[in-house]
């Protein structure tokens, strides 16, 4: 049977190209995922990570491997990997976003093996997305997981599970490709629900290298949906007569997903207006080398903190951990191939086709994925190339539609869905349907967490306006805003600090007010949201005052008070945002009320649902720093030398509201077997900042203490526990 080992620990790394026989002491020990360089939070220079590095790992194979083929599986390494085993070249791979594998059986020795990877992390013009400018940083390193896989020479190579007649009489067809054919093979399939209970089983004799194993109708399965994302595990075992040779497991879901020509998107036959954001996979300090926990957390943030039902993996296939989490929580995904505006020569284009294949073969069992992006984002039309990418996508996955993101309306429509970046700041009428807005906002309104109140409100309302308009337009399937999180970029883009401040959250995934436009669309049964877009000053807006108070909330009504003076009861601004499930509130002061003429005092807002007070926010009128807060996202980490969680540091008023102009430097101390990744001392930006704590390999407690002048210290703890095997 197959043995798969996570192959992330005990690597050595050198930030240069070393000889194959260079001594170990020229390397530093590292654990994957790994960034070839750590960064300060300040401007990142893309030249700093563009070099060739050397990774080395020494290993012995377990006894059980006898008779098996041995593979090395890389989930992703940026940009070109050349792999040697025991001084012999095994192979190379170009491209940083798709997985690759090598059969290393014939290179293995009987004792210690030495694996070397030369990793070229330069922007290689011959490899997508490079060849021209790109508005994001790619970073370097073996930044995703690596596995060692030991399998019988005759094993299960690929599986595509295709649910059938899902809405009427569900069945399952499993396309299976074996590594090789041999006589007397049988494949058995078992379908289990989330509790491990067997739903169905079937088996079939194997007549060739490829076969389709059918689970006949009707299968008693629950549908995968946004609110109840039911998942099933397909277990396949390959037998030679009665001897099992290989077993694989695949998580799947039963659902239909369809963009219809009349306009809308339908999940399981029911219309769903898509509302989402784009995600880049990069982080401060660690580039793209984020372990599973952080990848999964991004999906949670998009679903639960941003109320999105869809995400676009701009502009490349993203981590399997991120996609797994999207399956688990019911977050739809538009996944696309690597690229940005530029199309290279024929060899470059053949890598585009290779990427389409790699993306679809890797990900077609994810129920969350509803659309394949088979064009280089915003590239010029290219009939020949995009006819081929479309045909290939349809051949590899006849169950899903294709899109291809463009930013001009007269572009040649070769795909199934017209996926369009609409920077009109409203919404343009579709020429083709189905029509999905895949970007808006972004560079049209860059916004920092420390911009003025006016600016941050306008940014939030731009998102409210576009989402409102698209929701009212029945020819538009949905809108995916640019973007979820601020991201690092080249000097030709961004605000001079090499960051595109285009997110509704900052690079640390901390919210700007626009985040609450999205979050407040959640049904209140899921989370009651109430956030005033003000710091309750009289002097931060042009012209002074804080008249027209904007509040993002999913409450039915709100009461607004200054101290004990009731300023009125208000309803959502349905006149302006009639299509949003929960429009923002626009609060106008009652006639005669002028905070300047009386004692300026604290703001208090109370939110009601069905007449019951369910939420409240108070904002202090003295704007004095009262608390230094330290939030640790995870209560425990795996003691595997790679796991990470975020530490958020904030300065707040007495009620817990962030003070965006509190200029503080915070000192952090850490006790236990872990390291801080980030700046220490940490300058706060917009009253807040974050860093990461990375686990060591010894179990125990980690304590972190933060200190800032004139405020009581804050501390947090987390436990390091034995990794799940
Ligand atoms: C788009 C592009 C995105 C990003 C965005 C900024 O044109 O597709 O990657 O650069 O602009 O608003």
């Amino acid at each position: 049977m197959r043995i798969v080992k996570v192959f992330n620990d005990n690597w050595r790394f050198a930030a240069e190209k070393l000889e194959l026989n260079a001594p170990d002491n020229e390397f530093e020990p590292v654990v994957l995922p790994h960034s070839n360089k750590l960064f300060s939070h300040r401007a990142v220079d893309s030249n700093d990570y563009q070099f060739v590095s050397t990774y080395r790992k020494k290993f012995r194979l377990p006894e059980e491997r006898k008779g098996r083929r041995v593979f090395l599986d890389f989930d992703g390494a940026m940009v070109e990997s050349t792999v040697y085993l025991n001084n012999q070249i095994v192979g190379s791979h170009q491209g940083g976003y798709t997985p690759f594998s090598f059969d290393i059986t014939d290179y293995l020795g009987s004792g210690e093996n030495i694996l070397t990877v030369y990793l070229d992390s330069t922007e290689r013009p011959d490899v997508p997305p490079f060849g021209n400018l790109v508005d994001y940083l790619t970073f370097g390193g073996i930044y995703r997981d690596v596995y060692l896989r030991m399998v019988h020479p005759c094993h299960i190579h690929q599986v595509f599970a295709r649910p059938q007649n899902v809405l009427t009489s569900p069945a399952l067809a499993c396309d299976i490709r074996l590594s090789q054919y041999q006589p007397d093979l049988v494949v058995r399939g078992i379908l289990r629900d989330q509790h491990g209970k067997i739903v169905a089983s079937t088996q079939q004799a194997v007549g060739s290298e490829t076969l389709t194993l059918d689970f006949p109708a009707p299968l008693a399965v629950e549908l995968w949906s946004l609110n109840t994302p039911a998942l099933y595990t397909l277990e396949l075992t390959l037998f030679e007569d009665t001897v099992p040779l290989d077993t694989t497991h695949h998580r799947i879901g039963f659902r239909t997903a369809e963009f219809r020509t009349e306009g809308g998107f339908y999940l399981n036959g029911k219309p769903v207006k898509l509302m989402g954001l784009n995600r880049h996979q990069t982080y401060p300090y660690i580039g793209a080398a984020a372990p599973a926990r952080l990848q999964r957390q991004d999906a949670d943030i998009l679903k639960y903190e941003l109320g999105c039902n869809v995400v676009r993996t701009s502009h490349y296939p993203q981590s399997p951990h991120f996609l797994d989490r999207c399956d688990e929580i019911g977050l739809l995904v538009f996944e696309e191939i690597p690229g940005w505006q530029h199309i290279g020569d024929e060899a470059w284009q053949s890598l585009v086709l290779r990427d389409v294949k790699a993306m679809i073969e890797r990900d077609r069992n994810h129920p969350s994925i509803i659309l394949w992006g088979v064009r280089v984002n915003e590239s010029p039309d290219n009939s020949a190339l995009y006819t081929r990418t479309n045909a290939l996508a349809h051949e590899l996955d006849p169950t899903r539609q294709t899109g291809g993101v463009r930013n001009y309306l007269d572009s040649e429509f070769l795909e199934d869905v017209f996926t369009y970046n609409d920077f009109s700041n409203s919404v343009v009428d579709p020429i083709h349907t189905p029509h999905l807005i895949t970007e808006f906002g972004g560079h049209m309104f860059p916004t920092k967490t420390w911009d003025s109140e006016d600016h941050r409100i306008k940014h939030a309302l731009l998102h409210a306006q576009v989402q409102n308009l698209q929701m009212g337009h029945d020819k538009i399937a949905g809108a995916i805003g640019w973007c979820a999180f601020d991201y690092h970029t080249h000097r030709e883009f961004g605000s001079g600090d090499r960051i595109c401040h285009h997110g509704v959250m900052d690079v640390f995934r901390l919210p700007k007010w626009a985040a609450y436009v999205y979050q407040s669309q959640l049904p209140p049964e899921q989370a009651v949201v109430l956030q005033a877009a003000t710091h309750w000053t009289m002097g931060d807006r042009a012209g002074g005052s804080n008249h027209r108070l904007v509040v993002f909330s999913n409450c039915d009504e709100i009461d607004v008070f200054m101290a004990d003076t009731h300023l009125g009861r208000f309803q959502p601004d349905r006149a302006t945002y009639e299509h949003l499930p929960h429009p923002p509130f626009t609060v106008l002061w009652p006639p005669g009320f002028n905070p300047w003429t009386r004692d300026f005092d604290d703001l208090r807002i109370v939110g009601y649902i069905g007449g019951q007070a369910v939420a409240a926010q108070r904002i202090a009128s003295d704007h004095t720093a009262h608390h230094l807060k330290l939030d640790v996202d995870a209560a425990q980490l795996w003691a595997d030398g790679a796991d990470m969680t975020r530490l958020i540091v904030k300065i707040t008023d007495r009620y817990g509201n962030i003070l965006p102009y509190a200029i503080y430097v915070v000192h952090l101390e850490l006790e236990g077997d872990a390291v801080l990744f980030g700046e220490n001392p940490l300058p706060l930006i917009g009253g807040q900042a974050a860093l990461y704590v990375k686990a060591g390999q010894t179990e125990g407690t980690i304590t972190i203490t933060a200190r800032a002048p004139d405020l009581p210290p804050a501390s947090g703890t987390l436990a390091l526990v034995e990794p799940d095997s």
Side-chain angles (χ1 to χ4, degrees):
M1 298 294 256
R2 73 172 51 202
I3 304 166
V4 179
K5 293 198 180 301
V6 176
F7 219 45
N8 285 346
D9 64 356
N10 289 319
W11 285 81
R12 289 168 196 273
F13 168 76
E16 60 186 306
K17 187 164 184 187
L18 295 181
E19 295 295 326
L20 285 173
N21 59 2
D24 280 352
N25 63 14
E26 291 187 20
F27 294 78
E28 58 171 298
V30 298
V31 177
L32 309 181
H34 180 253
S35 177
N36 68 358
K37 171 110 182 121
L38 292 179
F39 302 93
S40 116
H41 170 252
R42 287 182 293 278
V44 170
D45 186 335
S46 57
N47 293 314
D48 289 353
Y49 58 78
Q50 291 195 53
F51 53 83
V52 178
S53 54
T54 312
Y55 287 81
R56 172 185 288 175
K57 183 173 164 80
K58 295 185 172 173
F59 64 98
R60 287 172 192 276
L61 285 177
E63 265 304 291
E64 328 84 274
R65 86 104 176 158
K66 295 242 160 57
R68 292 187 164 85
R69 302 298 302 179
V70 182
F71 290 84
L72 266 181
D73 298 334
F74 290 80
D75 273 357
M78 194 68 73
V79 172
E80 182 187 62
S81 311
T82 307
V83 176
Y84 287 79
L85 191 61
N86 300 329
N87 288 334
Q88 280 178 278
I89 186 158
V90 176
S92 72
H93 174 84
Q94 291 79 34
Y97 295 105
T98 44
F100 53 97
S101 285
F102 295 111
D103 181 342
I104 56 170
T105 321
D106 299 340
Y107 303 86
L108 288 164
S110 51
E112 186 177 64
N113 294 286
I114 305 183
L115 171 68
T116 305
V117 181
Y118 289 120
L119 186 67
D120 180 355
S121 299
T122 60
E123 297 188 356
R124 293 268 305 258
D126 53 335
V127 181
F130 306 114
N132 206 342
L133 285 177
V134 172
D135 170 26
Y136 50 92
L137 296 187
T138 48
F139 296 102
I142 305 181
Y143 75 100
R144 289 184 185 161
D145 299 321
V146 177
Y147 300 90
L148 185 76
R149 179 167 45 102
M150 292 163 268
V151 281
H152 189 280
C154 179
H155 59 269
I156 298 167
H157 176 53
Q158 272 175 358
V159 174
F160 181 21
R162 292 179 289 113
Q164 314 280 303
N165 304 324
V166 168
L167 302 183
T168 49
S169 178
L172 183 65
C174 307
D175 299 334
I176 301 171
R177 177 178 291 276
L178 303 180
S179 59
Q180 63 186 48
Y181 172 71
Q182 63 184 51
D184 306 322
L185 294 176
V186 172
V187 173
R188 182 190 69 196
I190 300 180
L191 187 66
R192 291 197 173 82
D193 71 10
Q194 268 155 319
H195 311 290
K197 200 176 135 234
I198 295 181
V199 176
S201 61
T202 184
Q203 70 177 49
Q204 196 172 307
V206 177
S208 70
E209 215 171 275
T210 57
L211 71 148
T212 299
L213 179 72
D214 286 307
F215 287 77
L219 294 173
V221 289
E222 250 182 86
L223 295 183
W224 184 95
S225 67
L226 297 177
N227 294 330
T228 51
L231 292 172
Y232 291 82
T233 304
L234 169 67
E235 179 185 291
L236 296 173
T237 304
L238 179 66
F239 294 89
E240 182 180 15
D241 290 325
T242 52
V243 182
L245 304 182
D246 191 19
T247 296
T248 57
H249 295 92
H250 312 268
R251 222 167 45 164
I252 61 168
F254 291 79
R255 54 104 185 108
T256 61
E258 188 194 355
F259 289 85
R260 294 195 184 157
T261 322
E262 314 88 84
F265 170 74
Y266 290 74
L267 186 68
N268 298 326
K270 297 194 192 109
V272 174
K273 254 296 176 191
L274 297 173
M275 180 187 81
L277 292 161
N278 283 270
R279 176 201 185 224
H280 265 306
Q281 65 173 11
T282 55
Y283 293 75
Y285 318 123
I286 56 172
R293 187 181 304 275
L294 296 182
Q295 300 287 347
R296 293 169 61 83
Q297 187 179 16
D298 267 7
D300 285 342
I301 291 173
L302 283 152
K303 169 109 181 170
Y304 301 115
E305 290 184 42
L306 297 171
C308 293
N309 56 21
V310 66
V311 57
R312 171 172 169 228
T313 65
S314 49
H315 300 298
Y316 36 78
Q318 298 191 353
S319 160
H321 300 297
F322 177 74
L323 297 172
D324 283 347
R325 189 63 183 155
C326 293
D327 289 344
E328 290 166 20
I329 61 179
L331 177 62
L332 304 170
V333 180
F334 169 22
E335 187 171 45
E336 71 185 349
I337 51 167
W340 202 82
Q341 295 190 347
H342 162 78
I343 301 176
D345 61 15
E346 218 171 292
W348 195 100
Q349 292 178 30
S350 67
L351 292 179
V352 170
L353 288 155
R354 193 259 343 239
D355 283 340
V356 169
K357 185 165 185 286
M359 169 176 79
I360 295 180
E361 287 183 344
R362 187 190 74 165
D363 289 335
R364 59 193 167 177
N365 289 325
H366 285 283
S368 56
I369 296 179
I370 54 168
L371 192 63
W372 299 122
V374 298
R375 250 179 192 254
V376 167
N377 171 64
E378 295 187 341
S379 55
D381 282 344
N382 185 323
S383 294
L385 176 62
Y386 295 137
T387 301
R388 289 177 71 194
T389 57
N390 261 284
L392 181 60
H394 287 136
E395 179 195 320
L396 294 168
D397 180 1
T399 75
R400 283 182 183 83
Q401 291 164 299
T402 58
V405 173
R406 67 269 283 162
N407 52 355
Y408 47 105
L409 279 174
D410 56 354
S411 136
E412 189 184 13
F413 184 29
L414 294 167
E415 305 82 10
D416 303 316
V417 182
F418 195 83
T419 39
Y420 177 62
N421 290 349
D422 183 343
F423 289 109
S424 64
N425 286 346
S426 59
V427 303
V428 299
D429 280 328
I431 293 182
H432 305 283
T433 54
H435 176 111
L436 173 68
I437 298 173
T438 37
E439 292 182 30
F440 67 87
H443 63 283
M444 303 306 288
F445 213 84
T447 300
K448 303 172 199 72
T449 47
W450 66 96
D451 275 330
S452 74
E453 191 159 307
D454 288 304
H455 191 91
R456 281 180 292 144
I457 293 171
K458 277 193 194 132
H459 174 237
L461 294 181
L462 173 64
H463 280 268
Q465 174 182 314
V466 175
Q467 291 293 3
N468 176 62
L469 288 172
Q470 71 95 358
M471 285 189 190
H473 202 310
D474 60 7
K475 293 273 177 280
I476 296 179
I480 305 177
W482 191 263
C483 55
F485 316 125
D486 291 353
Y487 55 97
H488 296 276
T489 190
H490 292 100
R491 70 186 164 81
E492 291 81 0
F493 306 92
S495 296
D497 55 357
R498 316 249 169 129
I499 292 182
C500 278
H501 295 269
H502 298 172
V504 302
M505 291 182 150
D506 68 11
V507 278
F508 305 114
R509 286 69 172 141
L510 296 174
K512 304 175 191 174
W513 283 330
Y516 298 103
V517 170
Y518 286 86
Q519 195 188 35
S520 61
Q521 304 314 315
L522 284 170
E525 308 82 75
Q526 223 169 300
V528 176
V529 180
L530 175 70
Q531 176 67 46
T534 181
H535 293 290
W536 199 237
T537 67
M538 292 297 285
D540 193 40
R541 299 194 191 176
S545 181
N546 42 41
H547 198 213
R548 269 183 198 274
L549 172 67
V550 176
V551 179
F552 300 112
S553 176
N554 51 7
C555 292
D556 304 338
E557 300 183 293
I558 56 171
D559 266 336
V560 180
F561 302 85
M562 186 169 83
D564 293 326
T565 311
H566 185 220
L567 303 177
R569 180 165 280 211
F570 301 88
Q571 282 72 40
D573 186 355
R574 220 161 264 297
T576 315
Y577 306 97
E578 63 173 308
H579 307 293
L580 286 181
H582 300 286
F585 291 73
T586 311
V587 172
L588 301 176
W589 301 142
F593 175 76
N594 174 359
W596 270 307
T597 63
R598 54 190 82 203
D599 289 340
F600 184 52
D601 214 318
D602 294 357
L603 175 75
R604 181 159 65 95
I605 305 173
V606 181
Y608 299 89
I609 295 180
Q612 298 287 314
V614 290
Q617 186 184 9
R618 285 169 163 235
I619 304 183
S621 53
D622 62 5
H623 317 113
T624 306
H626 260 260
H627 303 290
L628 167 65
K629 292 202 165 171
L630 175 73
D631 295 332
V632 187
D633 282 343
Q636 60 178 48
L637 292 182
W638 306 125
D640 61 0
D643 200 2
M644 279 191 187
T645 191
R646 178 180 62 167
L647 304 178
I648 305 169
V649 183
K650 312 176 202 170
I651 301 280
T652 71
D653 71 4
R654 78 184 76 223
Y655 304 119
N657 300 290
I658 288 159
L659 294 170
Y661 312 130
I663 313 270
Y664 275 79
V665 172
V666 176
H667 290 256
L668 294 130
E669 290 153 26
L670 181 143
E671 278 170 50
D673 184 21
V675 279
L676 289 175
F677 273 49
E679 315 256 321
N680 189 15
L682 177 71
L684 300 194
I685 306 151
Q688 57 187 2
L691 62 174
Y692 300 97
V693 56
K694 181 171 181 174
Q697 289 175 306
T698 330
E699 289 161 54
T701 304
I702 306 297
T703 307
I704 304 115
T705 308
R707 294 176 204 282
D710 307 325
L711 291 170
S715 65
T717 58
L718 58 95
L720 289 196
V721 300
E722 198 188 328
D724 249 358
S725 50

